[in-house]
Structure formats: structure tokens, C-alpha cells
Amino acid sequence: DVKVTQSSRYLVKRTGEKVFLECVQDMDHENMFWYRQDPGLGLRLIYFSYDVKMKEKGDIPEGYSVSREKKERFSLILESASTNQTSMYLCASSLHMGALSYNEQFFGPGTRLTVL
Amino acid sequence: AQTVTQSQPEMSVQEAETVTLSCTYDTSESDYYLFWYKQPPSRQMILVIRQEAYKQQNATENRFSVNFQKAAKSFSLKISDSQLGDAAMYFCAYRSAFGNEKLTFGTGTRLTIIP
């Protein structure tokens, strides 16, 4: 079974702190994604990556950056956390099977981040 | 840009009954994929069912089936013989058949099962 793990289930940080959210997958997936989930807004894509050291902005990249130094690990970085970044963060991964395929995304359990 | 709309924030159904969750989407593309994901209270999101736009036949997975109406841009999920374990947030998602492989999600429907 595919396993996507996230470093923390709950995290509390102060405004202005630098925050790292880590995601690891164990199935050699090329694609990795970071979403934030807010009530009434669903999931919104922050960043995604197709390969090591490659990244693309999603729909809401402002205030975030990412790092992918190894294929299995995809980090989300909040350079200076703000209260409006309090949210649930979900990581996902999938095989890169090309455009003409409907490969499934596998999700981690999520990290609930509170910024005080 | 594509959008996905789920107009029912909450739904409830009696155990063993059938419930339908609605989803509409907006796209100018002719080929794409549609998904329903389930997020139980423990939060791990899992895929329930998926549909290729070029297939006219509606997808079915055990008690879960979809009603895909391409012209109407509608993709509803029907759950038959509802069980307590079906209680969850359900998200509809869209993916283009071309370009990148990102998903666009709806806002979700919270389904409650009444014993």
C-alpha cells in the first residue's frame, strides 16, 4: 500500500516563525502536492512538484515556498508564519503516468497548523 | 480556469437508504477526468470513484456509482445502502486530460448517516 506520511498531526507556531511541514511517500511517486484545506473552501493547491528540484506554483502560493531535494520528500515552508495561515495542510503524491491517464492521488493524514 | 461546485454543504441519510451528492463543474475542455474523494473524520483522504469524460458509461464501485452528464457538466455520486462508515466529507475533483496533473476540488459535502 502507498503510504504518505506527514511529520506532525498538530503544530502550534508563533507569528513570524519559520515553519517547515514535511511530507514523505514510500512508493517512488514522481508527483507530490501540497494543499490547504479550510471549511467552506475545500482543498486549494499551494505548490506541486513533478520531479526532484522541480516545483510549480498552484492556486495560492503566496506566503509559501517548497523544497524537493529527494524524490520521496516534499517540504512546505512558511517563511514568516501569519495567523491567516492557520489551516489544515494536506500532502499528496501520485505516479507520473502522463496526461492521458487518471492516476490517483494518495493523501497524507494532514497537519493542523495553528499560528498564534 | 476550471471550477468545481458542490452546492450541498451538508447532507444526511438514514442508514440503508440511498443518497445522492451533487457536483457541477465548468470547463472548456473536451477531455478530462472526474473524481470523488472521501475524507472520514480521521482525515486521510481516499479515492472513492473516478470517471473519464470520454466514456459514456457511468462508473460504479460496489455501492458507489456516478451519474455523469457531460453536456450538463454534472457529476453526482450515489451511495446505495448507506452505512455508518460512509459518514465523511466528500469532495468532487476535476483534472484536465492534458497539461499538468493537478486536481481542482469542490468545497465538499459533509454526509451524516442516521442510525
Side-chain angles (χ1 to χ4, degrees):
Chain A
D1 283 348
V2 175
K3 193 168 183 181
V4 180
T5 58
Q6 296 183 228
S7 51
S8 305
R9 294 296 293 266
Y10 299 93
L11 206 54
V12 179
K13 295 292 182 180
R14 296 282 182 188
T15 301
E17 280 192 78
K18 190 169 186 176
V19 181
F20 293 86
L21 302 183
E22 305 286 340
C23 175
V24 177
Q25 49 91 6
D26 65 358
M27 285 300 292
D28 204 34
H29 284 173
E30 293 85 2
N31 302 331
M32 297 189 76
F33 306 83
W34 274 108
Y35 298 90
R36 66 176 281 175
Q37 181 179 1
D38 300 288
L41 297 178
L43 278 74
R44 293 177 292 165
L45 182 65
I46 304 171
Y47 268 97
F48 58 105
S49 169
Y50 291 134
D51 202 349
V52 175
K53 297 191 185 296
M54 296 186 68
K55 60 185 180 183
E56 289 198 32
K57 293 180 180 179
D59 300 317
I60 51 165
E62 297 79 17
Y64 304 94
S65 62
V66 290
S67 172
R68 194 165 181 201
E69 297 296 320
K70 294 184 177 182
K71 190 174 185 180
E72 68 270 18
R73 186 181 299 268
F74 191 35
S75 302
L76 180 69
I77 304 158
L78 288 66
E79 294 289 342
S80 177
S82 62
T83 55
N84 63 12
Q85 293 178 309
T86 292
S87 186
M88 171 72 77
Y89 290 88
L90 296 178
C91 175
S93 72
S94 67
L95 279 171
H96 179 63
M97 296 173 66
L100 298 179
S101 67
Y102 55 178
N103 46 313
E104 175 182 353
Q105 286 189 20
F106 294 87
F107 284 81
T111 295
R112 182 166 295 283
L113 173 68
T114 301
V115 182
L116 301 176
Chain B
Q2 294 79 24
T3 58
V4 178
T5 301
Q6 294 179 248
S7 59
Q8 306 153 314
E10 296 183 353
M11 293 276 288
S12 60
V13 62
Q14 293 278 353
E15 194 175 2
E17 296 295 309
T18 295
V19 64
T20 299
L21 308 184
S22 67
C23 173
T24 59
Y25 56 94
D26 187 25
T27 184
S28 58
E29 299 176 330
S30 60
D31 206 5
Y32 47 87
Y33 306 106
L34 297 164
F35 305 81
W36 278 98
Y37 278 86
K38 170 185 177 181
Q39 187 182 44
S42 64
R43 297 180 303 180
Q44 197 116 17
M45 192 96 71
I46 56 173
L47 178 68
V48 174
I49 198 166
R50 54 191 164 190
Q51 174 83 39
E52 296 156 289
Y54 66 85
K55 286 188 176 178
Q56 292 189 348
Q57 186 173 4
N58 290 323
T60 300
E61 289 286 344
N62 300 313
R63 296 183 295 107
F64 298 87
S65 61
V66 298
N67 183 6
F68 173 50
Q69 302 287 330
K70 191 172 184 179
K73 296 180 182 175
S74 171
F75 182 61
S76 60
L77 174 69
K78 185 172 85 171
I79 306 174
S80 303
D81 186 26
S82 297
Q83 300 175 0
L84 294 177
D86 295 334
M89 281 291 288
Y90 286 83
F91 292 96
C92 179
Y94 170 102
R95 206 206 99 182
S96 173
F98 302 97
N100 63 51
E101 298 179 42
K102 71 174 190 174
L103 292 174
T104 299
F105 285 87
T107 52
T109 296
R110 182 175 301 281
L111 179 64
T112 301
I113 311 297
I114 303 166

